[in-house]
Every structure is written in C-alpha cells, then in structure tokens.
Amino acid sequence: PRWLPGDLGAATEMARYTTLVAGSLTAMRMMGDTWSAAEWRWAMSQVHSRTFRVEEPAGNVNDGITCHTRRLLVPYVDLLNHDSREDAWQCEWGCEWDTGGGGGSFVVRAVRDVPVGEEVLISYGERSDRHFFLFFGFLPKPNPHNAVTLFGGLEEAATWYEALCGEGAAEAWDAARLLAVAQVRTEEKEEERER
C-alpha cells in the first residue's frame, strides 16, 4: 500500500510488532508448544496491550549507557486507565534504575491529590489515535496529541489540489492570489484613513 508520510511511524511500529509475534511464535514452537498462529497473535495482543514499554540502561556509567527496550507486565498498575489531558490524570509512572547493575523498580507516583471515589488515571503517552487503536485497542476522547500528515510539503499539496480542480486550476490560483492581495491593500488603505 501507499503510505502517507504521517503513517510511516505506525507502519514501522506495526512491522516491528509483526516480526516480534512471528519470531516469538517460532521460538515457542521450537520448544515444543503447539500454539496456532491465530492463538499466538491473540495471546500476544492481550499481553502487549497491558504492558509498559521502558528503556532499561545497560552498560557501565563511565563507558556511556545504552538502553534495551523492555516490556513490563505490572499487576494492578496495568488496570489504570488512560486520559490524554494532562489536567485529568493524577499519577505518573516510570522506572528507577540502579545503573550499577542492581535492577530497578517500577514506580507510580501521585502528582496531585486524588479525591476519595475518583478514578485514578495515568497517561499512556503522547500518542496519535492510530497508535492507540493499533496497540491499545481504543481511541481516547479527546486526544490533543492526534495529528495526521496529509502531504509531504506544499508542492505535493499544490499538485494534488491542481489535479483535483482539473484544467484551469492554475488560473484559479492566480485569480485568488490577486484577489487576496487587492483585499489586503484595501484594508491597509482603510487603516491609514482611520489614523
């Protein structure tokens, strides 16, 4: 399929996830498990949608730290729901790592008081609707981080618009440009008269 520029990140992530699922199924079968591909995809989607992606430091602090991506399944914390609005969630999550090789801790901290009876919310991250739907199975409402790239640049947008408008599009653009310039000049003259 032809991917729009804004879709490339999701396409890359989906390809990586597909490779992960296929590779892990192969590994499970090599150990003697008899999962079907459909059963394995379902199981992986259930686990993936409940885990937290973290970057674990690896290496010596003096040599420069690299990171390994890990997915953590954290009981009870995985039940906390998401809200995209920063003023709606009361807790933040993250890992505190012992860079000396002693492991780490998964931590959830309240960033404001939580009234009795109020649902405790966290942010799953600043993601687009595409990401939430593909990897979490829901669309947050509202989502201030949602964005879609329609064109790679002005030239691509202009070419698309001219093709949409058919013959005479260039003349229509020229006429619209002249009209806009004339309107600005008229407004400037009116402002001068008012002074």
Side-chain angles (χ1 to χ4, degrees), residues 21-195:
V21 170
S24 58
L25 175 59
T26 301
M28 292 301 289
R29 286 181 173 163
M30 289 173 65
M31 291 189 294
D33 283 342
T34 58
W35 290 76
S36 72
E39 291 170 329
W40 188 251
R41 278 193 307 271
W42 175 85
M44 287 294 289
S45 72
Q46 296 306 301
V47 170
H48 193 279
S49 70
R50 305 305 312 169
T51 59
F52 293 85
R53 180 181 174 187
V54 298
E55 300 297 323
E56 179 183 5
N60 187 315
V61 177
N62 298 326
D63 297 334
I65 295 177
T66 59
C67 291
H68 296 291
T69 300
R70 303 279 189 237
R71 297 206 72 84
L72 304 178
L73 185 58
V74 186
Y76 297 106
V77 178
D78 71 324
L79 297 174
L80 295 175
N81 285 323
H82 164 82
D83 199 302
S84 294
R85 299 165 300 170
E86 191 171 334
D87 64 341
W89 45 266
Q90 316 91 329
C91 295
E92 295 178 331
W93 63 270
C95 286
E96 294 177 353
W97 300 103
D98 175 0
T99 54
S105 300
F106 191 91
V107 179
V108 177
R109 282 195 181 86
V111 293
R112 65 177 175 87
D113 290 339
V114 182
V116 173
E118 183 174 303
E119 180 181 17
V120 175
L121 298 168
I122 61 174
S123 171
Y124 293 177
E126 296 177 358
R127 310 267 192 256
S128 68
D129 280 354
R130 179 186 311 105
H131 183 95
F132 278 106
F133 187 70
L134 283 173
F135 298 105
F136 297 107
F138 73 92
L139 296 173
K141 188 176 181 181
N143 186 0
H145 310 292
N146 202 23
V148 175
T149 302
L150 297 177
F151 302 102
L154 287 176
E155 198 61 41
E156 186 179 334
T159 301
W160 172 84
Y161 187 76
E162 287 177 1
L164 177 71
C165 294
E167 287 189 34
E171 291 81 11
W173 275 108
D174 290 341
R177 192 177 317 70
L178 290 173
L179 183 61
V181 168
Q183 185 172 351
V184 167
R185 288 184 179 156
T186 300
E187 289 172 4
E188 287 174 347
K189 287 179 184 177
E190 287 176 9
E191 287 176 9
E192 282 181 26
R193 280 187 217 137
E194 290 176 6
R195 287 185 214 161

